[in-house]
Amino acid sequence: MWMSDRPRTQQRLAIDLAGMVDVLPDENTTPFLEAFWITMAREWNGIDVLRMDKFLFLVRRYLNATFNYLARTGWGTTAVEQNLDVLSSIPLNLTDQKIPNGLRYHVIDIYVDELDKVDTPRTDNLPLQKLLEPLRRVGNDSPTKSVRTRANDTLADARLQNWFDVGDSLSRVSIVKGGIDGQGSPV
């Protein structure tokens, strides 16, 4: 990835690397994704400005691959919890100062985008409340104000309301403390 210079080559490589999640046995998927996030967190500050775009795209593809994997498993409780633990402990970690804020910002920025791509038909079997827990935790508990603000802005995304409108039982659920209620009004 580091040495690929042309945009199409970079995109194809990022897609192929993230596509490895699709061919791994289920028991190896979460450790593979964890290794990716550990590597990205460790190397993030060493990425120069000329190479940043391709790594931003790579992170986007891996987050998308994570959500696709969870959808393929039928949003199974164990798979969801394991993968959310990985996201919470590495890119969305609240206390580890070795995790670069730039990685946190990017994951926060693309979280709803990639979730939206995976659940375009807005099925009501998506455990949205559970999937938003890492963002809620960051929005409420991050020691950095700008990270909290970014997470809360993401949680106020209008697309999230579409998911809550799918099921009557979910329509009145508050997205975040101080977020949007089922009627689209501030709480």
Side-chain angles (χ1 to χ4, degrees):
M1 190 72 183
W2 186 263
M3 297 301 289
S4 62
D5 291 331
R6 298 177 190 248
R8 282 195 179 159
T9 306
Q10 295 166 0
Q11 291 172 359
R12 184 77 254 156
L13 184 56
I15 291 167
D16 290 346
L17 288 170
M20 291 174 63
V21 172
D22 296 335
V23 298
L24 289 172
D26 286 347
E27 64 271 6
N28 294 341
T29 302
T30 302
F32 178 77
L33 290 167
E34 183 177 19
F36 167 76
W37 290 113
I38 289 169
T39 303
M40 289 308 300
R42 183 184 62 233
E43 302 298 330
W44 193 263
N45 288 328
I47 301 171
D48 60 76
V49 69
L50 299 173
R51 292 184 169 96
M52 185 55 77
D53 284 344
K54 62 181 156 187
F55 285 98
L56 292 172
F57 186 71
L58 181 66
V59 166
R60 179 179 288 274
R61 296 307 306 166
Y62 266 89
L63 187 60
N64 182 271
T66 300
F67 291 144
N68 276 320
Y69 165 69
L70 296 176
R72 258 192 346 270
T73 64
W75 303 103
T77 306
T78 304
V80 169
E81 287 178 5
Q82 287 176 345
N83 283 280
L84 291 182
D85 285 346
V86 168
L87 290 173
S88 294
S89 67
I90 303 169
L92 297 176
N93 187 304
L94 299 174
T95 57
D96 189 353
Q97 296 302 313
K98 291 182 181 179
I99 306 295
N101 277 336
L103 180 59
R104 283 187 188 106
Y105 291 142
H106 186 56
V107 170
I108 291 168
D109 285 344
I110 65 173
Y111 201 90
V112 174
D113 295 340
E114 298 310 312
L115 197 55
D116 186 33
K117 290 176 188 174
V118 171
D119 193 44
T120 302
R122 298 295 189 257
T123 59
D124 61 353
N125 64 345
L126 177 81
L128 188 59
Q129 291 291 350
K130 184 75 173 162
L131 291 168
L132 293 177
E133 280 179 18
L135 286 179
R136 265 194 224 99
R137 198 172 306 119
V138 170
N140 291 330
D141 301 331
S142 176
T144 309
K145 183 179 179 181
S146 59
V147 174
R148 283 192 314 270
T149 302
R150 183 79 58 104
N152 287 326
D153 289 347
T154 298
L155 288 167
D157 191 311
R159 291 174 293 178
L160 291 175
Q161 188 59 44
N162 292 337
W163 275 295
F164 289 112
D165 288 340
V166 168
D168 292 336
S169 63
L170 296 176
S171 64
R172 300 221 182 263
V173 176
S174 175
I175 295 174
V176 292
K177 181 173 65 174
I180 298 172
D181 68 12
Q183 303 299 317
S185 306
V187 193

